[in-house]
Amino acid sequence: MRLPAFDYIEPKTLKEAAKRLASNKGAVLLAGGTDLLVNMKHRVIMPKQIIHLKALPKLQYITSGKEGLKIGALTTLHEIATSPMLKERWNIIAQAAQEVGAYAHQSMGTLGGNLCQENRCRFFNQSPFWRGVRPPCLKAGGKVCYVVPKGNKCYSTYCGDMAPALIALGAQIKIEGMEGERSLPLKKLYTHNGKKPLALKKGEILKEVFVPPASGKALYLKWRVRESLEFPIVSLALYVEKDQKDQIKKARIVFSGVGSGPVEATLAERIWKAGPLNEQTIEKVAEQAVKEISPMRTSIHSPAYKRKMAGILLKEALKQIYS
Amino acid sequence: MSLFNVIGKREPMLDALEKATGRAKFTDDLTFPGMLFGKILRSPHPHAKILHVDLSKALKVKGVHGAICGRDIPKKKYGIVPMAKDEYALAIDKVRYIGDEVAAVVATSIEVAEEAISKIHVDYEVLPAVFDPLEAMKPGAPVIHDEVPNNVSAKIRKEFGDVEKAFFESDEIFEDDFETQPVNHAPLEPHAAIGLADHSGKVILYSSTQIPFFLRRNLATALDIPESRVRIIKPKVGGGFGQKIDLYAKDFCAAFFALKTKKPVKFVYEREEIFTSTRQRHPFKIHLKTGMKRDGTIHVQQFKAIADGGAYNSTAPLMITLACYFIMLPYRIENLLFEGCHVYTNKPVGGAMRGHGIPQVRFAVEAQLDLIAEKMGIDPFELRLKNAFHAGEPHPAKLLVQSCGFSDTLIKAAEAIGWKEKRGKLPFGRGIGLAGASFPSGVSNMSHISSGAVVKIERDASITLLTGAADIGQGAETVISQIVAEEMGVPLEDIRITAADTEITPLDPGTFGSGVTLRAGNAAKMAAQSAKEKLLEAVAEKLEVEIHQLEVKDRRIYVKDQPEKGMSFSEAIKVYQYSDRPMPIIGRGSYMPPAKEPTTLLKEDGNFSPAYSFMTQAAEVEVDTTTGKVKVLKMVAAHDCGRAINPMLVEGQLDGSVVGGMGQALYEDVLIEKGQVINPSFLDYGLPTAMEIPSITSIEVETDDPEGPFGAKESGEGTQLAPAPAIINAIYDAIGVRFKSLPVTPEKVLEALQEKKGKTY
Amino acid sequence: MKHILKLNVNGEDHEVLTDIHKTLLEVLREDLGLTGTKKGCDLGTCGACTVLIEGKPYLSCLTLAVAVQEKRILTIEGLAKDGDLHPLQKAFAEKGAIQCGFCTPGMILIAKAFLDEHPSPSEGEVKKAVAGNLCRCTGYAKIVEAILSVTEKI
Ligand SMILES: Cc1cc2nc3c(=O)[nH]c(=O)nc-3n(C[C@H](O)[C@H](O)[C@H](O)COP(=O)(O)OP(=O)(O)OC[C@H]3O[C@@H](n4cnc5c(N)ncnc54)[C@H](O)[C@@H]3O)c2cc1C
Ligand code: FES
Ligand code: FES
């Protein structure tokens, strides 16, 4: 499958990149290209211009200090997956990166690209021939959603691996734009609007992920049929932090693959926090969490199955995180 | 000490280094000056009448050199089985599935061809479609081919013994329904073809085919030109597994446009086209009724099998026949009735795939045998052993089995998997299972399924072998060269081989039905023998001995009981030349598998294969009872492939088959909704990755088949019959759930486990 | 639009006049005639097109040629040094890890990238490293064996 034609530029600075991105309506950013190029080959994204970020060397770093952890947006997933420092102190991040696609995807794919990847849907991630069987769907510029034909909303699903792990850790992001830099909780990057899943404004570029110091325990579990290549059917990240009196201070449960953005199950977190944790409460936490997610028929797996697995995964994770 | 010098050696494939260095050329790797690129327009409807195709806008695109649709091509139907031709290279009257070929374009680049395709306008009248074979068989269902009003395009009914009486005599009767899924062959190399034509109207086609000579015949028919005007050359082929048996639109269009434009024309399929528009393993619905004697004898079996064929026949009649014939082994069954049919639906087309119709029924039989064993309180291993067929026994359907290591494979597989220690004794979630199978080594007594070979001894004593056999990655060229080297008494490196070019190499039916080693191997052996004899005549004369006193080994010809009396191969050539004999020395072989009991596969009873391979596969699995995921920990493949000409390549076939069979058991499924494949990519189609593989132990049970070259039979397809049922049987041992439909996904396991516990989430 | 791309492939500099929207896979195969790099899916799902860029595995079907100018690109054709086969190439051939050979170039290259990073991996690590490279013929067993056999030699 050939790529559609486009212009190509390599900005020298982030500022320049932001400016180009803002000034050209048809421009898109390219990082590792493992998500973007597939969508372009499928003709669901047809940019006029490609702004390649990889030439910006300053965005590729992992540093950690007292104030927390910083990862540049262009850091590759492989660097994250194999960083000894991350493995030792922020293992959940390394672990999530290890779960993305396979080796080559990790060596090409970047953190920024992973967080900003397009939502997915079985009616969207298909070739023009495949989609040609019916009029275009909402996300591909048409008028109908084939997942929920009666609604006028796009239900495409967020399937990234990194976002849940980072959100569970309370990550913030730095965004560079025409008006300078701004920070945002990573969670707020996601609009949960399938048609436009990211809260980036015109010309904005994700620059850095910042994770505040985290003394608690974290865990990432991904469910898929084969142990490689596949996106999560459903995945989840857990984070729990206790105070000196062994009271839960922070409890986070974040899912991927079950909504139009990463889904934090805040009500379930409350039940968890209220503790104490035993068979019964674990069951309750899971029951509640499963109510907070909204899987749709956007992949080859049924929503009912995703829900079932989300519950099972969460119970497993809760057991594991305490053992 | 081994009897042989080259046979039985773990020789690397002759072209392995070419492949390891990137030099090996597959069809898409070839380019020719001025080459055009083609694309095919496919139907977006599962069933529709073509009212009009407007090519005019496509033809106006700059760089386009031609555009055609059904009305532009000869009205000649083709099909791989002559009696079941039902397909045009481009649809003429109507389209019958999503992905059916409607029009084709060639242009100076792929981009231009893609653009032109998008400018073709087709008026369709959409027709009601039918997707379920049972629905398709009902009166009033949409008719997919006018000539077949009930959509049942092939049928077989075969009975031997007295089935009714046998059921009456049976002590216990078991009845079960089984279902299998569509599976894509998924060769890694996408299908490709390049056509070249000259001004005399002759076309050369480079094609990723596994049957060059049949392709020549089919292509000539479809183009409506004499066979002599078509030359097929098979470059390296990146796997086939049966999918590269059929003629495809890419072959036809490359040749057609080459003839029309006099330019080289290349067509390459996208991965998606391979999923939607080539071939897949037929999904089956099987009703199986078995009557048992109290002592564990399988007394009678009755099958009703419905194969969902999709929109066209491809191998339909052959497939359904094989499905029937191959349940007649490896067990002795005195009474059997098989009723099978192939039904059209508006879906992707079924075709030959590794095992060809048999894995589906094998799954049913082997799964049911375990069920029977349990209900009758017999050990499943013992049950199989008791009913195992043996060489030389009279077969109820008159099959002639001259070598049979089935019992041995059973015993060895059971031992290697730890049957006695583990079966029924592992903790919940862990289990073992086994299954048996048999497969023909090609079919007998069909003149068009013959092989030829030519062996030339050159002046420098090197040996040139010409064979029509089609190596598609299994190593046929290596194995046949080994056979020739052995026969000639020279090391493998002395053999130069040219294969699979219909203009240069002798006839060969190609790679299917697991007949290559036996058929092409025998032809090559004959050719080598005949060349050798010519040389030996001269040597015998010189040494003043009789030919039969001579032996050839390690590039030397010598007198058997006086090894010092002899000469090197190159001296022998000189002797030959000085004795004024004509050069070059050429030996020829033409081989058709004989039929001791005359029969033709589709018509009469009797023996239809020169030899039969036998195997048992055993599996150990672990089921994660929380998530339902099944992990195959270990597979044992015990296989009687006759003599292994090259054990390393046999192991390779076993490994590949085992993992393919595991894919079929647990991961792979072409999902189709309203005629549309919804997972036409490796992301969603569960081809096993390296993470899924079990440890594999292969055990070769060597028998020496009298018909096979140096005793060899087959190892390509038979090995893919039993892994799936072995795994399913192991799952039963692990969690006590009996699955009757494939694949057994984590979702199904979880559901079953929860049902078992009476608990829902 | 056509541009001149400067590519360093297998240690040699090339200037290629080609479309800017071509993937590295297309440029290697079509413009440079380096057909050892295979196209199995063209969508990043099979690994047949794997090449090494600065020693790291890249799926060339998802890489823009224009974006890897001036980088060191290694394809299967450049792996043997002065006619000496790489140990992986030998091991793949000798251990029967090659059947049809279509997955082989990508498989060997990803294995090389991996072994360069992890000279003595476990079997599980090897499997994980090649898991994105699909093979339909071998069932991976002999591929894993071949890769492991090379680690012992290093
Ligand atoms: C076979 C296959 C399997 C995969 N499996 C997984 C998986 O299991 N899990 C998973 O999470 N992903 C998976 N992916 C998707 C993809 O590989 C990863 O998400 C990868 O991390 C994307 O990163 P990239 O740098 O390649 O992104 P790109 O493709 O370069 O970019 C992705 C999107 O993000 C935008 N973008 C990139 N960088 C920035 C930035 N700094 N600021 C703002 N926008 C930006 C781009 O414009 C584009 O829209 C898979 C892909 C394939 C082909
Ligand atoms: S061709 Fe690039 S991954 Fe398949
Ligand atoms: S050897 Fe054929 S795909 Fe790997």
Side-chain angles (χ1 to χ4, degrees), chain B residues 682, chain C residues 25 38-50 59-62 132:
Chain B
F682 287 138
Chain C
L25 176 63
K38 303 299 179 206
K39 183 177 87 181
C41 70
D42 220 8
L43 290 170
T45 58
C46 77
C49 67
T50 306
L59 301 169
S60 60
C61 72
L62 296 186

Side-chain angles (χ1 to χ4, degrees), chain B residues 701-721:
Chain B
V701 173
E702 275 203 348
T703 55
D704 185 359
D705 191 84
E707 190 53 42
F710 297 105
K713 296 192 281 193
E714 73 88 39
S715 71
E717 298 186 76
T719 47
Q720 194 152 83
L721 308 179

